[in-house]
Amino acid sequence: MAKTDEKAGGGLWETVKTIFWALLIAGVFRTLFFQPFWIPSGSMKDTLLIGDFLFVNKMAYGYSRYSCPFGICPFSGRILSSEPERGDVVVFRHPVSNSDYIKRLVGLPGDTVQMREGVLYINGAPVEVEPAGIFKEPYQKQGPMGYYPECENAPVGIGGTCMKGRSVETLPNGVSHDILNITDRGARDTTPVYTVPEGEYFVLGDNRDNSRDSRYAQANGGVGFVPAENLIGRADRIMFSSAGRSLFFIWTWRPDRFFKAIE
């Protein structure tokens, strides 16, 4: 009986050690290399869809205290840092809510940024925009949160086709990406001129009329300027995607988006 108890105790201890080392390795991997991120909203359509799953490259910009889970890294500023590039899709810690956000970085320190009737101006010059057809999706609940999409052709009945105008926007450094538009007369389609402070960045959602980003002050539920310290990493590639309310709904998987590069 004693031997049985001894074996049971030894087996339990081995299990505890295995779990400990697994958690430690996962924590180090998540802190230093890649962090999983699930897209919960439609603010980055059609670059990123609700239900896309990706890994954030945390080596891209170096490390800050937000590189650790719960923001517990014991240092301030950034170490091993490198500058993001205009057009990067970045994940960052919201300066007020402490939630992780994903947007496109369009404004660098010292830039002036403005929207005029839905067109982005950087340092006083409009970016190049070319029409790219219509983005279509079914008007139905999307993802675990059950959001309905916003439509340029509203009102749309359940199961109908929701449409938005799609364009290709080319930033001054040559980075091109899709943007979606519902109206050029929205609350943030024409804005004041924003001057990006030193050490901070200006971000926008690609789904321009359905994104709370740097056009909205933090006091109004927006993002405002994003401090460099708050950058967590760069989104480079979609690993998996599901259009359903659960990843177990195999019939809602989007195989065409598996391992898709993020542009």
Side-chain angles (χ1 to χ4, degrees):
M1 186 68 178
K3 289 184 178 180
T4 302
D5 291 343
E6 186 177 334
K7 287 182 179 180
L12 177 61
W13 175 239
E14 288 300 319
T15 300
V16 170
K17 287 196 297 183
T18 300
I19 293 173
F20 169 80
W21 284 112
L23 291 174
L24 181 63
I25 292 169
V28 170
F29 183 85
R30 186 184 187 279
T31 298
L32 296 181
F33 302 111
F34 298 98
Q35 175 179 323
F37 193 88
W38 194 279
I39 303 300
S41 73
S43 69
M44 283 294 292
K45 289 178 181 177
D46 65 346
T47 303
L48 298 171
L49 303 181
I50 295 175
D52 283 348
F53 177 80
L54 51 90
F55 283 103
V56 180
N57 180 356
K58 302 182 80 169
M59 299 174 285
Y61 310 131
Y63 304 95
S64 74
R65 65 190 182 97
Y66 296 110
S67 299
C68 292
F70 313 110
I72 60 173
C73 282
F75 52 85
S76 60
R78 300 196 74 85
I79 60 173
L80 303 175
S81 63
S82 58
E83 294 298 316
E85 296 183 8
R86 197 191 311 275
D88 285 356
V89 176
V90 299
V91 173
F92 58 91
R93 187 64 50 85
H94 190 284
V96 175
S97 72
N98 216 33
S99 300
D100 290 346
Y101 276 52
I102 186 166
K103 304 290 179 185
R104 189 176 298 277
L105 191 154
V106 300
L108 301 172
D111 284 345
T112 61
V113 181
Q114 185 183 26
M115 298 291 297
R116 301 183 197 171
E117 297 182 346
V119 177
L120 173 63
Y121 282 67
I122 297 177
N123 296 325
V127 302
E128 180 183 340
V129 180
E130 293 290 337
I134 301 294
F135 174 72
K136 300 179 181 180
E137 58 186 337
Y139 187 75
Q140 60 189 25
K141 291 183 178 180
Q142 298 181 341
M145 303 299 291
Y147 294 129
Y148 284 101
E150 295 190 16
C151 312
E152 186 175 7
N153 59 326
V156 178
I158 302 297
T161 301
C162 175
M163 296 188 289
K164 300 177 185 64
R166 176 167 49 198
S167 302
V168 174
E169 180 180 82
T170 302
L171 299 174
N173 61 342
V175 173
S176 295
H177 57 275
D178 286 355
I179 59 171
L180 301 183
N181 187 60
I182 298 173
T183 174
D184 293 333
R185 297 176 298 280
R188 286 294 180 267
D189 280 318
T190 298
T191 71
V193 176
Y194 302 97
T195 300
V196 185
E198 192 65 32
E200 300 187 314
Y201 301 97
F202 194 97
V203 297
L204 291 174
D206 289 348
N207 191 1
R208 292 288 161 81
D209 293 315
N210 189 23
S211 174
R212 286 196 169 270
D213 42 45
S214 290
R215 295 172 292 176
Y216 294 80
Q218 295 166 10
N220 296 328
V223 169
F225 299 118
V226 178
E229 183 182 39
N230 289 56
L231 294 178
I232 294 173
R234 185 182 64 218
D236 291 333
R237 188 172 298 274
I238 299 164
M239 305 303 294
F240 173 81
S241 185
S242 173
R245 303 197 68 179
S246 169
L247 60 85
F248 297 108
F249 295 171
I250 298 175
W251 58 92
T252 66
W253 289 2
R254 306 181 183 110
D256 60 315
R257 298 185 67 79
F258 291 8
F259 310 111
K260 181 179 179 181
I262 296 171
E263 298 177 349

